[in-house]
Amino acid sequence: MSETRTLPLAETLPGMLLAAPVLDAGGNVLLPAALALTESHLESLRRRGIATLTISAPAEPVDIARKREEVRARVMHIFRHTVDDPGSQALLHAVLAFRQEQLK
């Protein structure tokens, strides 16, 4: 759920996460999306002439909390008619945990 930005390779640091795969001139995937970059990745990309990378900008804690509350409200709305059913409550908690895990 984070935003992305395009950075010149020279400004990219180890530990940053790729928001999109890095492709070579032939369209082959050099590095997959969501990969945490290492110094060796950056050096390899320099040798291959890659100029820019699309990086995931870390989300602000306030944004994460807001999104978690939106997810909770949506799941509670979906299960609003099943308050007294224990089976549905177990499913509600499983769905809520899964949806909130997706925000990380």
Side-chain angles (χ1 to χ4, degrees):
M1 298 292 158
S2 60
E3 295 187 27
T4 63
R5 56 192 163 134
T6 301
L7 290 177
L9 186 61
E11 293 179 20
T12 308
L13 301 172
M16 290 183 168
L17 295 177
L18 289 173
V22 179
L23 307 176
D24 66 10
N28 299 306
V29 176
L30 299 176
L31 297 174
L35 177 76
L37 293 166
T38 65
E39 187 57 48
S40 63
H41 291 134
L42 297 173
E43 183 56 37
S44 176
L45 295 173
R46 280 185 205 99
R47 286 192 310 266
R48 292 175 179 266
I50 302 297
T52 61
L53 298 176
T54 304
I55 301 296
S56 294
E60 295 293 325
V62 171
D63 294 334
I64 294 171
R66 181 182 49 79
K67 288 188 187 289
R68 288 178 67 84
E69 180 54 32
E70 288 171 1
V71 165
R72 190 197 68 72
R74 177 68 181 141
V75 170
M76 295 305 287
H77 177 75
I78 291 169
F79 285 88
R80 69 188 177 279
H81 298 295
T82 62
V83 173
D84 297 326
D85 181 22
S88 294
Q89 288 299 304
L91 182 59
L92 177 152
H93 292 293
V95 169
L96 185 58
F98 174 79
R99 293 285 308 271
Q100 290 187 338
E101 180 66 27
Q102 298 301 305
L103 295 175
K104 293 182 181 178

